[in-house]
């Protein structure tokens, strides 16, 4: 009996926190009827990067004020 070759490992995509469907709907609402999957992935990556930066900045504001909870005001100040 011959040994079977193992199936090639599937490529694991980086974990994404933002779902594609809502972003695709938002883009369609703004007039982009046809959007390439790669373009959608790039936009999601950009949004996640900006959200992470805003979170870090908001957290720094909280720590400076000796608080634990991030508020809407913290996010607003961090994104200005």
């Amino acid at each position: 009996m011959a040994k079977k070759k193992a199936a090639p490992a599937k490529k694991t995509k980086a974990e994404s926190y933002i779902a594609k469907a809502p972003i695709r709907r938002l883009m369609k609402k703004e007039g982009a009827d046809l959007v390439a999957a790669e373009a959608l992935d790039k936009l999601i990556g950009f949004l996640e990067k900006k959200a992470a930066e805003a979170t870090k900045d908001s957290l720094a504001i909280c720590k400076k004020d000796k608080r634990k909870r991030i508020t809407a005001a913290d996010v607003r100040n961090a994104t200005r």
Side-chain angles (χ1 to χ4, degrees), residues 25-74:
R25 281 194 304 268
L26 183 138
M27 293 174 82
K28 187 170 184 175
K29 181 181 173 188
E30 294 301 319
D33 291 330
L34 294 175
V35 178
E38 187 177 342
L40 189 60
D41 291 339
K42 289 284 185 186
L43 180 57
I44 289 172
F46 171 80
L47 293 172
E48 288 177 345
K49 181 181 171 189
K50 289 298 182 181
E53 290 173 7
T55 301
K56 288 177 186 175
D57 293 345
S58 299
L59 188 56
I61 292 169
C62 282
K63 287 184 178 184
K64 188 178 91 173
D65 291 344
K66 297 179 182 173
R67 294 182 287 114
K68 292 182 180 180
R69 181 172 299 200
I70 295 175
T71 63
D74 296 329

